């Protein structure tokens, strides 16, 4: 999935046995938000779309249904094996950082939870704007992880609070070590506007984090996928068991990341 590599260890990877469930939960958490944003952009029959870091391809699939037989969706990923087969989708193995970018211009370029994981996200975003057709739209969705608020939203005892802070800090430290920009989501619009792009809007969303919800189940899965790192960071197996129990308990609520979706529309005619 995110290909988080620290000390030669890969923590998230689309090849891992947990990846299908991880990607499915991401789509469950964000699918409604993405569909609401994308359906307001006028992407219709014949559009040429590029979905970057496609994951399970659920957005590519949604777009393919909109563009119909005269349109196309290029779904690229480091590991595109989970992208569904569809006559309008071309799934392509592609590293946004290292490979040459697809030729031609796109009516829509979409990347969800991708740029926040990559170095030089601002440069990538500005390069993507250059790939838009006249009137085309760039849609970048990321989670703002540089949160001032605590990780737990419901009243809890001191032990539960302390293991959650340690879990939260260990996950953030790992992200920072892997090169993630935890604040990128909130800076995207400013970066685009500062480069002279006027038609930029930001849409916000925040999922519910009650025990048993998709966001809680994703955090629970991550506690397993990152277990070695969390133990090295000082959490005990009993702490992880308590965290996992919380995440199934509807009486417990964690704070979830704030979703920022930045939408840029290119001018109809090149200026
Ligand atoms: C967090 S997942 C998001 C998947 C999907 N966009 C979603 O929101 O459900 C990040 C995806 O980006 C892909 N990815 C990571 N680095 C990439 C790169 N340099 N080039 C292309 N894809 C990359 C990963 O393989 C993974 O599928």
């Amino acid at each position: 999935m995110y290909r988080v590599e620290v000390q030669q260890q890969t923590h998230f990877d689309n090849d891992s046995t947990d990846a299908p469930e991880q990607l499915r939960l991401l789509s469950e958490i964000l699918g409604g938000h993405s569909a609401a944003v994308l359906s307001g952009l006028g992407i219709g029959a014949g559009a040429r779309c590029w979905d970057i870091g496609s994951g399970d391809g659920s957005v590519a699939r949604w777009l393919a249904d909109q563009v119909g037989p005269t349109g196309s969706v290029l779904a690229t990923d480091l590991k595109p094996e989970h992208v569904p087969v569809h006559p309008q989708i071309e799934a392509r193995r592609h590293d946004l950082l290292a490979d040459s970018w697809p030729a031609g211009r796109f009516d829509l370029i979409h990347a969800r939870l991708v740029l926040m994981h990559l170095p030089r996200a601002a440069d990538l975003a500005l390069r993507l704007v250059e790939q838009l057709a006249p009137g085309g739209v760039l849609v970048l969705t990321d989670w703002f992880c540089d949160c001032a608020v605590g990780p737990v939203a419901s009243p809890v005892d001191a032990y539960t609070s302390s293991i959650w802070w340690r879990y939260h800090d260990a996950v953030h430290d790992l992200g920072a070590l892997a090169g993630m920009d935890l604040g990128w989501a909130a800076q995207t619009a400013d970066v685009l506007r500062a480069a002279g792009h006027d038609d930029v809007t930001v849409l916000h969303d925040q999922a519910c984090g009650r025990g048993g919800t998709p966001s809680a189940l994703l955090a629970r899965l991550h506690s397993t996928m990152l277990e070695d790192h969390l133990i090295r960071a000082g959490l005990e197996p009993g702490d992880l068991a308590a965290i996992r129990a919380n995440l199934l308990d509807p009486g417990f609520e964690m704070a979830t990341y704030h979703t920022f979706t930045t939408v840029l529309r290119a001018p109809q005619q090149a200026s």
Side-chain angles (χ1 to χ4, degrees):
M1 114 116 354
Y2 321 136
R3 196 174 70 171
V4 174
E5 286 173 24
V6 177
Q7 294 168 341
Q8 281 78 52
Q9 235 190 311
T10 301
H11 294 280
F12 291 144
D13 194 310
N14 284 2
D15 283 343
S16 79
T17 50
D18 290 318
E21 177 66 355
Q22 186 185 32
L23 294 171
R24 188 191 69 73
L25 286 167
L26 286 176
S27 294
E28 207 177 329
I29 294 163
L30 287 167
H33 170 72
S34 295
V37 172
L38 294 169
S39 59
L41 298 177
I43 303 300
R48 182 167 189 248
C49 305
W50 180 14
D51 183 34
I52 301 168
S54 223
D56 71 354
S58 57
V59 172
R61 175 67 210 239
W62 187 92
L63 288 169
D65 289 341
Q66 314 304 308
V67 302
T70 55
S72 65
V73 180
L74 175 62
T76 60
D77 201 292
L78 282 178
K79 296 188 174 174
E81 60 262 36
H82 302 293
V83 175
V85 174
H86 185 288
Q88 258 50 60
I89 300 178
E90 181 198 344
R92 191 186 293 177
R93 185 175 305 278
H94 180 262
D95 182 344
L96 192 69
L97 296 176
D99 295 331
S100 57
W101 285 15
R105 305 275 168 149
F106 293 88
D107 300 303
L108 173 81
I109 301 177
H110 173 266
R112 191 175 74 188
L113 305 185
V114 181
L115 264 59
M116 63 183 281
H117 296 287
L118 300 182
R120 300 183 312 281
D123 295 344
L124 294 171
L126 293 172
R127 252 184 92 191
L128 288 171
V129 177
E130 303 305 315
Q131 298 268 135
L132 291 174
V137 196
L138 174 65
V139 179
L140 300 176
T141 295
D142 283 296
W143 278 333
F144 178 65
C145 305
D146 207 3
C147 306
V149 294
V152 180
S154 55
V156 289
D157 57 71
Y159 168 69
T160 304
S161 175
S162 87
I163 55 174
W164 267 87
W165 272 111
R166 281 155 58 211
Y167 169 76
H168 173 270
D169 291 350
V171 171
H172 279 207
D173 289 350
L174 182 65
L177 270 174
M180 272 176 73
D181 181 346
L182 302 176
W184 159 250
Q187 297 157 16
T188 314
D190 285 348
V191 164
L192 296 172
R193 288 190 190 115
H197 301 294
D198 299 327
D199 192 347
V200 177
T201 50
V202 185
L203 299 143
H204 301 269
D205 192 39
Q206 191 154 16
C208 173
R210 253 198 325 275
T213 60
S215 294
L217 296 179
L218 182 68
R220 193 169 189 274
L221 185 65
H222 285 171
S223 80
T224 309
M225 295 174 83
L226 302 177
E227 181 160 331
D228 291 351
H229 169 74
L230 295 169
I231 296 286
R232 273 198 304 277
L235 284 142
E236 301 285 341
D239 300 332
L240 293 178
I243 285 172
R244 289 172 189 146
N246 287 152
L247 289 166
L248 293 178
D249 175 2
F252 174 85
E253 183 163 3
M254 63 172 200
T256 61
Y257 294 131
H258 187 140
T259 303
F260 282 67
T261 293
T262 303
V263 179
L264 175 150
R265 189 175 287 276
Q268 282 298 338
Q269 291 185 333
S271 50

